[in-house]
Amino acid sequence: GPNARVGQYNGVLIARINEDVSLADFETGAIQTVADVEQAYWNLVTAYRLLDTIVKAREAALQTWQIQKARLEVGTGRADDEAQARSQYYQFDAQVKNALAGQGGLYESEQQLRYLVGLAATDGSLIKPTTEPTDARVIFDWDSALAQALQRRVEIRQQKMQVQRRELELTAAKLNFQPRLDFLGQYRYQGIGDHLVPGFYENMFDGNYQEWQAGIELS
């Protein structure tokens, strides 16, 4: 390439590979963004499932507490049983609140999904997945997956590009041992005069001050 120095090569083939590497970097970013959105979606699904489970457990604990409380009031229950049932209910109630607003809870998972897909942080609504995940068993073909990965995975293609670039740089480095002979040429008009108009333009169009240079350079 032009103006190349030892260790810095900018030929057409190397420039093309560099452009492919840049496109691969963009592809990597796009793939990572899609993966992050998918992961955030399933984290939200899991948060809803966990919340539903804890809410049902809290409802069951509330019913148990009410039964023990009623038995204690009529004299057929024990105070320690009522206290234990009450304690379990409040424990489940705290877990429900933590599943909603705690670290890694439903609200945080929903905010993360909003951020990734570019939605406003607050718009008066709450995102809730409605499509149930499939429970069908999926059997993957390992050989087919491996073949597709070797051909399509962007990081593998990037490594192949790096190898190609190094090979071309090695070729360019070997060419540095060879002599370089360049032909140099220059031809131009000059406008000479004390005034821009008419001296400069008259000399330009009359062609009185033309000059040319020619030569060779061996390095």
Side-chain angles (χ1 to χ4, degrees):
N3 302 322
R5 298 190 300 271
V6 176
Q8 296 182 359
Y9 309 103
N10 50 5
V12 175
L13 297 180
I14 295 178
R16 185 180 65 183
I17 292 179
N18 291 337
E19 183 70 17
D20 292 339
V21 171
S22 299
L23 292 176
D25 291 337
F26 173 78
E27 184 179 350
T28 300
I31 293 174
Q32 186 62 48
T33 300
V34 174
D36 291 343
V37 172
E38 183 178 0
Q39 184 64 45
Y41 172 84
W42 287 114
N43 288 342
L44 184 59
V45 171
T46 303
Y48 271 106
R49 291 294 183 91
L50 180 61
L51 178 63
D52 292 341
T53 301
I54 299 177
V55 168
K56 292 179 181 179
R58 184 184 65 175
E59 293 176 351
L62 177 61
Q63 293 178 359
T64 302
W65 178 31
Q66 291 174 345
I67 292 175
Q68 294 296 337
K69 184 177 180 181
R71 292 179 60 186
L72 182 63
E73 291 175 352
V74 298
T76 59
R78 298 167 49 184
D80 57 343
D81 291 338
E82 187 273 338
Q84 182 179 5
R86 183 174 70 253
S87 175
Q88 290 181 346
Y89 165 75
Y90 284 116
Q91 287 180 0
F92 281 116
D93 184 64
Q95 292 181 15
V96 169
K97 295 177 180 178
N98 185 66
L100 273 174
Q103 184 176 5
L106 189 146
Y107 291 153
E108 182 177 341
S109 299
E110 196 261 357
Q111 286 293 314
Q112 181 66 20
L113 182 60
R114 282 180 172 273
Y115 171 76
L116 290 173
V117 298
L119 295 178
T122 55
D123 58 3
S125 62
L126 188 66
I127 298 177
K128 182 177 182 179
T130 58
T131 303
E132 291 294 327
T134 178
D135 56 358
R137 183 179 180 183
V138 179
I139 300 177
F140 295 97
D141 186 352
W142 167 252
D143 294 332
S144 176
L146 177 60
Q148 292 184 21
L150 292 176
Q151 181 180 3
R152 298 182 180 180
R153 286 193 69 89
V154 62
E155 60 269 22
I156 296 180
R157 290 191 282 111
Q158 281 181 315
Q159 290 299 323
K160 292 180 180 179
M161 294 174 191
Q162 295 289 354
V163 172
Q164 293 177 359
R165 181 167 62 182
R166 296 306 181 191
E167 291 175 346
L168 291 174
E169 290 178 352
L170 178 60
T171 301
K174 291 179 179 180
L175 292 176
N176 283 334
F177 287 101
Q178 299 180 2
R180 175 171 177 172
L181 179 64
D182 294 325
F183 173 77
L184 306 177
Q186 177 179 329
Y187 178 78
R188 63 183 178 179
Y189 276 72
Q190 288 190 352
I192 300 177
D194 295 332
H195 303 282
L196 179 63
V197 180
F200 172 79
Y201 286 108
E202 288 180 353
N203 292 328
M204 282 288 294
F205 290 108
D206 291 342
N208 294 328
Y209 300 100
Q210 305 178 38
E211 70 174 19
W212 59 271
Q213 294 178 354
I216 59 174
E217 182 180 74
L218 177 64
S219 59

